[in-house]
Every structure is written in C-alpha cells, then in structure tokens.
Amino acid sequence: EAGVAQSPRYKIIEKRQSVAFWCNPISGHATLYWYQQILGQGPKLLIQFQNNGVVDDSQLPKDRFSAERLKGVDSTLKIQPAKLEDSAVYLCASSSANGYTFGSGTRLTVV
Amino acid sequence: EDQVTQSPEALRLQEGESSSLNCSYTVSGLRGLFWYRQDPGKGPEFLFTLYSAGEEKEKERLKATLTKKESFLHITAPKPEDSATYLCARGIREKLTFGTGTRLTIIP
C-alpha cells in the first residue's frame, strides 16, 4: 500500500510571500487532515476533510490559510501572506477504520 | 478541551536500560489514547491505541498501559534503533490532540 505523498519536502520563502503544499492520501481513505508541527511541539490539527467537505477547520487561521480537496482525493494547503511564525512542518494524514497514516511532511522556513 | 502533557521532555538511556514515558490528560471519557513514534524528518508512525483503563498493548520492546488519567509507554531493554521522539495523543471522532513528545536517546 502506497503511503501518503506530500510535496515539496522543503520550502524557503520570504515573509509576505505565498506558498502552497500538496498532499495525495492513501487510495480509498475518505478522511484527510492537515497538521502543523512547530519545532519541539506536537502536531496541531489545522483542518479535517471528509471526502471533499470540511469537517473541522476551527484552528485554521482563515485570514491567511486556505485549503481545498477537489474531487475528494488530493488536497492543497495555501498560506498567503506568510509570517515568520508559520515556519513549521506541515503534515498531511489520511485515515480509514484501521487508523491514521501520516506523510513525511513539508518543512517550511519563512525568512 | 483536552490537554495532553508528556514527561520527561528528553530521556537518555544506556542500551539495555529499561524505563517508562508518561502521558497525562485532563479530560476523561470515551476517547482513544494513541502512541506514535516520530523519527527526524518523518511523519509520526502509529504504535498503539488504547481505549479502556487497565488495557495494555505490546509490540517488541514496547508496552503501552492506560489508567483513567494517564498512560505509560514502557521500554524494556532498549536498543539504539529505539531512539526517536515518542508522541501521545487523545482522539475523538478522528481528531487528535497531541502532547509535545519525549525525545528518547539510547546510547550504545
């Protein structure tokens, strides 16, 4: 079974620029999540999708972050404009009845 | 809202020296308690899920236990390859709240 694919692996941008991350979940997994993991902390849920509908985005900073999941498969997470405090690893995960699988993440550095 | 606290923040052990990691949480109820392992540059890898006080699960040198207010991850005779950050999380309706993790280093 292929894992959760994320790209890019690394991204360095200047503050106020925009950036987008891509995630391809495990085939057949209806639920997809984006987590933010700041260095030295545990992952924090940003948004949860069920198929292509949003289930929970209560912790997503909607003034600068947006996410979509077209056709209930791939997802993109966008930040515009980025701030220094957005430097983190952005993890995508998908789940089935058997549990969660995380991707390796995208490490974002905002300078 | 769930609060999940892990201790210690970091732990260095000699190879073969057994120990335990702690995970405590503030909200009881019908939520799962999850343990994950995270290696540098990778996403968390699932280890265990526990649901009921008194429940125990084992995998190789790891054993997870659960009480009403906390969970322990016991590591027996660890090897250098067990070095990683161990994360615990509480879950309800698939949403996970993570602790900050314990960074475990096993010295050969």
Side-chain angles (χ1 to χ4, degrees):
Chain A
E1 178 180 77
V4 175
Q6 291 189 245
S7 66
R9 288 283 284 131
Y10 306 93
K11 191 74 176 178
I12 301 175
I13 62 171
E14 295 182 351
K15 59 183 178 182
R16 292 187 289 274
Q17 286 187 324
S18 62
V19 64
F21 314 126
W22 174 82
C23 172
N24 180 240
I26 291 175
S27 178
H29 282 196
T31 310
L32 183 148
Y33 315 78
W34 284 100
Y35 281 81
Q36 179 193 58
Q37 186 173 23
I38 294 172
L39 185 65
Q41 298 182 20
K44 182 185 83 170
L45 180 69
L46 293 175
I47 189 167
Q48 176 185 349
F49 290 95
Q50 180 75 20
N51 295 310
N52 60 347
V54 175
V55 175
D56 184 350
D57 64 356
S58 58
Q59 299 194 81
L60 186 73
K62 299 180 186 66
D63 58 334
R64 299 183 299 106
F65 286 64
S66 64
E68 61 181 6
R69 188 182 185 195
L70 299 177
K71 301 181 181 178
V73 182
D74 293 6
S75 178
T76 56
L77 176 69
K78 297 179 182 178
I79 307 175
Q80 181 179 13
K83 293 185 176 181
L84 296 176
E85 58 261 37
D86 298 331
S87 294
V89 174
Y90 291 84
L91 294 163
C92 179
S94 65
S95 71
S96 67
N98 296 326
Y100 265 64
T101 302
F102 282 88
S104 292
T106 296
R107 180 176 296 277
L108 174 68
T109 302
V110 183
V111 298
Chain B
E1 183 179 322
D2 257 332
Q3 297 279 344
V4 179
T5 303
Q6 291 189 247
S7 62
E9 287 187 12
L11 182 62
R12 291 171 62 90
L13 300 172
Q14 293 290 329
E15 183 173 0
E17 180 185 0
S18 301
S19 187
S20 297
L21 313 182
N22 176 262
C23 172
S24 61
Y25 42 88
T26 56
V27 179
S28 300
L30 294 175
R31 291 170 167 83
L33 189 290
F34 299 78
W35 282 98
Y36 285 83
R37 168 188 172 132
Q38 187 172 27
D39 292 297
K42 295 190 177 181
E45 176 187 346
F46 172 76
L47 293 174
F48 306 108
T49 307
L50 303 166
Y51 288 100
S52 304
E55 189 175 357
E56 298 184 353
K57 289 190 176 176
E58 288 188 64
K59 179 180 179 180
E60 296 181 356
R61 295 175 292 281
L62 300 176
K63 182 170 78 172
T65 62
L66 183 66
T67 71
K68 288 185 178 179
K69 289 289 188 180
E70 58 189 349
S71 177
F72 293 93
L73 184 66
H74 307 278
I75 302 175
T76 302
K79 298 181 178 182
E81 54 261 41
D82 295 321
S83 296
T85 295
Y86 291 85
L87 296 163
C88 78
R90 290 273 277 170
I92 183 168
R93 290 192 292 275
E94 301 182 321
K95 174 183 174 180
L96 296 181
T97 300
F98 281 88
T100 55
T102 294
R103 188 172 65 254
L104 178 66
T105 303
I106 307 301
I107 304 163

